[in-house]
Structures are given as C-alpha cells and as structure tokens.
Amino acid sequence: MRALARLAVTTLLVAAPLAAVTVATSTASAADDPVPIIVLTSDFEDGTAQGWTGRAAETVTHSTAVAHGGAGSLAVTGRTATWQGPSLDVLGVVEKGTAYTISAWVRMTSGSDNVRLSVERRSGGVAAYDQVVGNTAVTAGGWVNLTGRYTLATDVDFLRIYVETGSTTGDFAVDDVTVSYVPALPIQTGIPAVRDVVGEFPVGAAITGAEIVGDHGRLLSRHFASVTPGNALKWDATEPSENTFTYAQADPLIAYAKANGLAVRGHTLVWHNQTPSWVFTGADGQPMTATAEDKELLLARLENHIRNVAGHYGDTIAVWDVVNEVIDENQSDGLRRSTWYTVAGLDYIRTAFRVAREVLPDAKLFINDYNTNVPAKRDKLYALVAQLRAEGVPIDGVGHQMHINVSWPTLAETEAMIQKFVPLGVEQQVTEMDVSIYTNSGESFPSPPADRLLQQAYVYRDMFALFRRYASEITSVTLWGLADDNTWLDTFPVTRKDAPLLFDTRLQAKSAYWGVVDPSKIGVSPSASVSVSPSASASVSPSASVSASASVSASASVSPSGSVSVSPSVSPSAGVAGCSVTYRVTGSWPGGFQGEVKVANTGTAAVSGWSLAWQFTGGQRIAQLWNGSVTQSGAAVTVTNASWNGTLAPGGSATVGFLGSWTGSNPVPAAFTVNGTTCAVN
C-alpha cells in the first residue's frame, strides 16, 4: 500500500463496534457494549432541510417522495457536477481529538452510482477534504447506509460534512443522518510497552494527523519507537503543482515525532500512485511518451522533487522508501509498466537513488514492495536489486510490506523471503505490516469473531518471533496503523470492518498485542509454519489509501489478496447454465479508479474455466488486474480465470479486481457475458 488504501490526514474509518478477545491481564475491553452519545440527528421529519444546503447551485429541499424512516427525507436535485451535494455545518458539533461515527442513509432517485461521505475543513482560508466513507454502490432500489469514523486532528474555522457521487450527476435522497461518539477509554498503562519488550529492532506505526492527538498520541508514544507518515510525504501531498512545495500535512507529524523521541521513516519519494498528473504531462501538454524530450523532463522533475522534499527534512528522517512498488512479477523482466518506466526505463530508479544519496549522504535508502513472500515477486525484486547494486546504485535496504491475513503466508514462506536477500548484504525492514482477519473478499463480519482474533494473535506471535530470530537482518518493523479504528483495510479490497492491528477501536490491547508482548497470555497453538493456505492468496498494498482531494480517495496498487474461495471438488462443465455479475467501483480519483467484478455461477452444473466479457462506454482502460488475466481491445474487455479460481461450483463465485483510467465520466457497463452467456446484473 503504500496504499495508509489509502488515509486522509484526519480520517478514521469504522463500520461497526468491535468485540475484542479478552485476555486475563487486560484491564479493559471494547466488548463492554459502550453506548454511543448522539450529538447530531437529521431526520427531516419537521418539513425543513434542517440546515442542509447545496455546495453549489444544486437544489436541496425537504421531500416526502421517499423516506428511510418516518415520512420525510432530503431531496438533492439539479446537480451539474459529481462533487455537488448536500452539506451541513458541524463546526459547533465536532471537537478536535474525539472519534465520531457519521452515518447517513442514501438512495438514488433513478439509476445507480457510487456515493461518498466526506468532510470539508478549512483553516486560514485553506481547504482540505477528508473522506469518511469511500465509494459505495447506491441504486434507486433501496436505501444504503454510509457509516464511517472521523477524528478532527487540527484546529479549523470551517467544518462541513457532505455527500457526493462518483460518476454521474443524478438526483438522490438522504435521510436519518447521525453524528455520535463513544466515550473514550483511557489507554492501558499497566501493560508492557511494545517498544520495551521488543528490543532487537525499533517497532513503528504508520500515522495520520489523528494519531498524534489525545489518547491516540499517548498510545503511540508509549508503545512505538518510530513512525511512518502514511500519506503526508507522498508526491500529491508535498508537490501538488509543479515547483509548489507544501509540508502542511507532514510537518506536524515530524514535529510530534521529534518532540517524543520517535524515529521517522520517510514514505515515499517515487511511486506510480498518488503522483499528480502534471508530473507525467509533457511540455506540449500531452501525456508523456517514450521520447528523449519527455524522459529528460520527467527525470528533471524527479530530481527537483527529491532535492526539495528530502532536503526539507535533512537528517530528521534517517530512512527513506526511495522507490515504492516497482516490481510486476507477471512481466518477463519483472518491472512494473508504470509511466515512470515506460518513459524513463530503469533510469528513474537510478536517478532517484543517486539524487537521494547526494541530498542525504547518511540516510538509509530503501526499495519497498508488497508480496515479497511470493517466490515470483521475491525473485524479481532480488534480481533488480542485485543488478542495480552491481551498477553502483546506492540501495541500502529492501522493504517488505507484509500485508497478510490470518491464514497466509506460512512462516516458512516468510523465512524464505528473509533468507533470499541475505547474500546481497542489504538491510531488511518490515515496512507496512498488518494482519487481516479475513481470508477472502467474500467474508464480512459485523464484529471480529473470537476465533479469528485468536488466529491473528498466533500470526503476530509467530511472525514477530521470526523477525526477532533474524534481528541481524531485520532492522525495523512498522505496523501499518496504530489501532483498528484507522485502517485502510476497512475499505479494501471491499468495504467491511477489519481489525488488523494490535489495539482495538477503543485503543485497548487485543490478543494480537499479547501475541507480540507475552504469548503465554494467548495459550498454545500449532505453529504458523505448518499452516496451509491457498497459493493464490496474497496481500495488498495500501500506500494509496486516501489523499486529500475534493473529489475523492486515491487507490492502492494491489496484489491478488482479494481472492474468493471456490470449491475444487466439483465435476467439470464447459458451459454456464446461469450466471450473475456484480460490478463495483471501489475507489475513484481524478483520471483513475479501482473496481471489482464478481462473477457467480447461478446454474446447477459446475463450471470449469470461465471467460468474462463486457464493454466500457466511457473510454475506460484497465491498467492492472488481479485474480485473473485481462485483454482489452478498444472498449471490449475480456477477463479469464486464474489457474486457481477457474472452477465455479453451483452457487460459487470468483472476484477480480482492477485499476483503471477514465476521462469525463465513468459509467458502469450495462451487460456482461460468461463463456458467451448473458448474465444477470446485480
């Protein structure tokens, strides 16, 4: 990741209260059924718009045409842009440092779209936009609830919540909006600090502005030795327009780290996501291509960016992820076909490390990637690092992201990952670790099951034991987040509440914490080294998460972690007696989007091998796809199964995910076929 898919400076996401597994020494638990305190309600039962207004010239009025509860709702009509929608002032309601749950029910008047719930905040006239709930499919067929958590981390003089759409300007209705909070629990001071127990290397956490205030800040400084700004140092945050540099997001995080004696990992100087479009626009105003002129301009912009951003912090940041996610193991040479590569080849990586070394002669310079525990990915990264170091490129270390889950990978696979890079003589760091409670994208729990939380604790126990055993190679471990109330996995690969970290949504220690600090508290289990998981399961990178943009969230590059389990014990069948397809846009940003398509076998015979086809109508192009193979000719897209998900039992399904580009609009395809048979569209 990459994608904290992606976090805005102050956004925390949560879908439901969590129930933690209680351990004997825990002094508090989120399973105490806390009662939320509601500080705002808009039910539109009094015949007025209750203070809601449009963001532009759209019409926002009370209506009785439809209602989620009671007889009234808010009708939103006359929109001419996707960002237009109903907005409500909450400046006098929301207090800095308190985690609020914001909930709204939304229904399209006709058709369908993806709808988002966001916050606009201003300080000194400077606007910023935080996404609370990402793109959620909404139709005219029924009400859909948008629920997310938001913590204001800065002083502001303007604060409004609003609802917007992802693709169209259709009319919609809003009802039963609430803002509430659960009274905070004090952090536990009678338990060991992670930083004190794990002495072999610093243990860090990825942070946003919300993690440095109040109890979050106290939890952070007590347990962790280093921090990684999740989004604040990326290109879109530091140089949004050419040669205009801003450190408004990052400087408070770095200042907090210095004040509390925390080291800082810089993330990241070069990445194919969260890079403004102007970077890849030539002097002629057109998208860059593989010309000498465009290459020279692109590398000059890269050098200027690194000299300014890295130079701004100097020795304050001693470790940098210089380049992020450059490997695509499906390419014969193992290199991701990003615009960086198609225009500049390997010279963009060479330039990035050369300039970073010139600016930061004493810093440790890392190349960072996900799924490095997958042999194909691992070996391609090894080959690249070996080649570049042989050329004299100053790569000091390899970063392993380690976005994993409770059943993948095995301990043996992870150990092989570490051992692979030992001969290179580079440092190795775990840079973005979290452990999802889900094993496929078809699962969703209202609260984390006790058995999954216990499995998670065993994974943390065994992985940290492995890292500590290789302390001569592993020089840092960073968790991708502080607590479960703020995790990119709540919206990726699908929207659902995850619980991947050591502390729960109320900042209380989970069994996962005890797995790291004192495994005797979680009992005995088989070692993860003997566990078996599907070879297709893999993790995803979150580094894109959400950037501060008026129109939306940025998306993460992904690997095939969103695979759906299918039964292999069915008899083959060549055809499809019945099928259904669900297409969703799961993230969108200017010029790009992330989507997923679920194909289900609704017939009575098993399917062995499937080919899914559709037509785009808005000029969309697929740039990357996982859980299958894709070809695109003009508007026509064909996706075929991967080796591991080609068999669909009756009632079975498989899901593919992808990253794509769009211009103007991003309409949902109207029809889909599987093996030539037209499918029902959900």
Side-chain angles (χ1 to χ4, degrees), residues 360-442:
L360 304 167
D362 299 322
K364 296 292 186 179
L365 307 180
F366 275 71
I367 185 170
N368 188 50
D369 222 313
Y370 63 92
N371 281 7
T372 51
N373 39 29
V374 174
K377 186 76 168 271
R378 176 196 70 202
D379 294 347
K380 293 292 177 61
L381 178 59
Y382 176 92
L384 175 64
V385 175
Q387 173 190 338
L388 293 177
R389 281 174 58 87
E391 295 175 4
V393 177
I395 300 176
D396 298 315
V398 171
H400 307 290
Q401 291 188 10
M402 289 294 288
H403 298 290
I404 61 179
N405 65 46
V406 293
S407 69
W408 177 89
T410 65
L411 201 62
E413 290 167 336
T414 307
E415 185 170 19
M417 171 193 79
I418 298 171
Q419 291 175 336
K420 177 69 178 183
F421 291 91
V422 171
L424 289 180
V426 294
E427 289 189 26
Q428 298 185 62
Q429 294 187 352
V430 175
T431 57
E432 304 180 19
M433 184 178 184
D434 45 31
V435 181
S436 173
I437 63 172
Y438 297 104
T439 60
N440 64 69
S441 62

Side-chain angles (χ1 to χ4, degrees), residues 8-12 90-100 119-130 150-160 207-214 216 232 247-256 548:
V9 174
T10 60
T11 300
L12 296 158
V90 293
L91 183 62
V93 173
V94 171
E95 297 182 357
K96 186 174 74 171
T98 297
Y100 292 91
V119 169
E120 179 181 1
R121 55 186 166 87
R122 299 179 193 169
S123 181
V126 178
Y129 304 88
D130 304 323
Y150 182 79
T151 299
L152 180 66
T154 59
D155 293 323
V156 296
D157 48 39
F158 178 101
L159 191 69
R160 298 183 73 92
I207 61 171
T208 70
E211 275 72 52
I212 65 173
V213 296
H216 287 84
Y247 305 100
Q249 293 186 44
D251 277 356
L253 307 185
I254 307 305
Y256 177 89

